[in-house]
Each structure stands twice: as C-alpha cells, then as structure tokens.
Amino acid sequence: RVVTNDVSVAAHVPARPMVVAENPVWELTTERAQVVRKSLEVAGLDPQRLRRVTGSADREPVVRDPMSLRNSRIEITVLRGDQ
C-alpha cells in the first residue's frame, strides 16, 4: 500500500559555545529544510503533501548536550491522516 499522508520537514543544528551578534543558525536550518523539500519534490513527492518546512535552529536539541553534533539533523515526519 502506498502512503499518501502529508509530510513535514524540520532542520536542526547544535548550539554554539559562544553568543554571537549575528547568529546564522536560523538561516542555515531554513536553507537545509528547503533543500530537503526540493529533493523530496524531485524524487516525486507531490508538493501539496508538504504541510510544514521549518528551520528550528538550535532550539530543539535531541540530546541533553546542546552542543552535541547529534543535534544536527533533518526530521522528515509522515503526518497522521484525519480519521
């Protein structure tokens, strides 16, 4: 069976060890999420199925250490269908 659920894409990066005036993490994660969106469309995903494309910067770490490289990731989520 082929899944036809909508999809969301989110990009994340680790925190940096110092505070900088011009922190590029928002732009970086937004650009990464857009690259994944374009790749999914080229691979055949209907653009109408993309519900969210988000750059989350360093705001949602997946591990306790906010600077861990494990926090650099792309999440592609198949959303639940309406019942």
Side-chain angles (χ1 to χ4, degrees):
R1 176 182 158 161
V2 176
V3 176
T4 59
N5 298 50
D6 289 341
V7 176
S8 74
V9 175
H12 307 266
V13 293
R16 294 179 175 215
M18 66 175 58
V19 176
V20 292
E22 301 268 338
N23 193 342
V25 294
W26 291 104
E27 291 83 7
L28 175 63
T29 56
T30 300
E31 289 172 12
R32 286 182 180 178
Q34 290 296 338
V35 167
V36 172
R37 176 193 61 80
K38 290 176 188 174
S39 297
L40 290 170
E41 289 177 4
V42 166
L45 182 71
D46 180 354
Q48 295 297 316
R49 290 180 55 200
L50 285 160
R51 289 291 156 228
R52 283 187 303 272
V53 178
T54 310
S56 297
D58 56 0
R59 304 299 178 187
E60 298 174 12
V62 75
V63 295
R64 186 176 295 241
D65 176 4
M67 291 184 282
S68 171
L69 290 178
R70 176 65 181 91
N71 291 316
S72 183
R73 66 196 189 279
I74 297 290
E75 295 176 346
I76 300 172
T77 306
V78 178
L79 302 171
R80 287 180 159 183
D82 291 328
Q83 297 293 329

